[in-house]
Structure formats: C-alpha cells, structure tokens
Amino acid sequence: MFTSFCLYYAEIEDVPLNAGAETMRLEWQDSDIYRPKGNYEPLPGDIVFLDKNSSGDADSTAIIISMDETTLNVIEGDVENTVAEVTYDMEDEAVMGYGLTAPKQQMMMLSATPRAALQTVGQTVSYNSSMFN
C-alpha cells in the first residue's frame, strides 16, 4: 500500500497500483514493466518486489533510493509498523525482481549545436540500455 501511495502522489503514470504486492507484481509483469532479478540493473525510483516469507509470491514492495554493485537502499513501508530506510543485498533471496517506473523509456536529449543556432533546445527520444555501452 505504501508504494502505491507514493507512486500515486508522485504522479508516476502508466503503472498499475495495487494494495497487494503479488497482485501488483503480476499486473506490472502483464504490463511488461517487471523484470526478474538478474535480468535488469535497477535504477533509483524503481520498485523492488520482495518475497520475505519465501512463499514464491511477493509479499512486500519498496522504492529504490540508491544502489551500488551489491546493495539496494530502499524506502519501505510497514517495517516494524513504520516507514524506514532498509538495505538489501542484491542477491538476497527475498529480492524477486524490479518494477520499472519509467516504462515509456524516454529521456531528454540536448543538442550539441551552439546556442545561437538552436531552434530546438531538446527533444524527447526513446532509448534503451544499449545506447550507453
């Protein structure tokens, strides 16, 4: 519920919101904005789906605020009845996968043209991770 609340008030569009973590994960999977662990490098703002009770279903979600090669720092609701910053190892068995919060895969590209010659400051373009190799 906490994650859906945050996504709603952050006006993140084109993502399913749900109070149930597993239902939400399945809806994100059906919308092609869910990536299993090991198949995606998460970004700040993405959602991590967690299976803390090892049932095979997501029972919690959290919002990624930062990460490095081995750890995820997240904001998670209902941690001992409070909202808390929590750190997970990326290989933790509880980490199931990630929800992409920018499913349209767009970003702003600025022109390298000298300022006096600019007619367009920038444009939104589609992208994928292979552009950054």
Side-chain angles (χ1 to χ4, degrees):
M1 196 70 175
F2 171 76
T3 299
S4 286
F5 174 86
C6 292
L7 291 169
Y8 176 81
Y9 282 100
E11 298 180 358
I12 304 297
E13 299 177 359
D14 300 328
V15 298
L17 304 178
N18 200 296
E22 179 63 8
T23 301
M24 188 169 160
R25 186 185 72 79
L26 293 172
E27 289 173 347
W28 285 51
Q29 186 173 324
D30 289 345
S31 297
D32 195 33
I33 55 174
Y34 172 80
R35 302 293 182 266
K37 175 173 73 174
N39 294 343
Y40 174 73
E41 292 184 34
L43 300 169
D46 283 346
I47 306 307
V48 60
F49 289 87
L50 302 162
D51 178 12
K52 292 182 172 184
N53 64 9
S54 302
S55 68
D57 293 333
D59 51 47
S60 185
T61 60
I63 302 166
I64 299 171
I65 56 174
S66 66
M67 68 270 158
D68 60 27
E69 295 80 28
T70 60
T71 59
L72 297 169
N73 297 308
V74 303
I75 297 292
E76 187 173 353
D78 199 18
V79 177
E80 298 178 13
N81 296 319
T82 189
V83 173
E85 186 173 331
V86 181
T87 300
Y88 289 96
D89 186 294
M90 282 193 184
E91 297 304 317
D92 190 315
E93 291 294 320
V95 176
M96 295 181 73
Y98 307 99
L100 288 65
T101 56
K104 289 183 180 178
Q105 300 280 326
Q106 295 182 337
M107 68 179 179
M108 182 65 70
M109 298 289 288
L110 298 178
S111 173
T113 307
R115 188 172 204 96
L118 279 179
Q119 292 182 358
T120 302
V121 174
Q123 71 183 64
T124 302
V125 296
S126 295
Y127 74 94
N128 61 50
S129 60
S130 65
M131 290 176 67
F132 303 102
N133 289 337

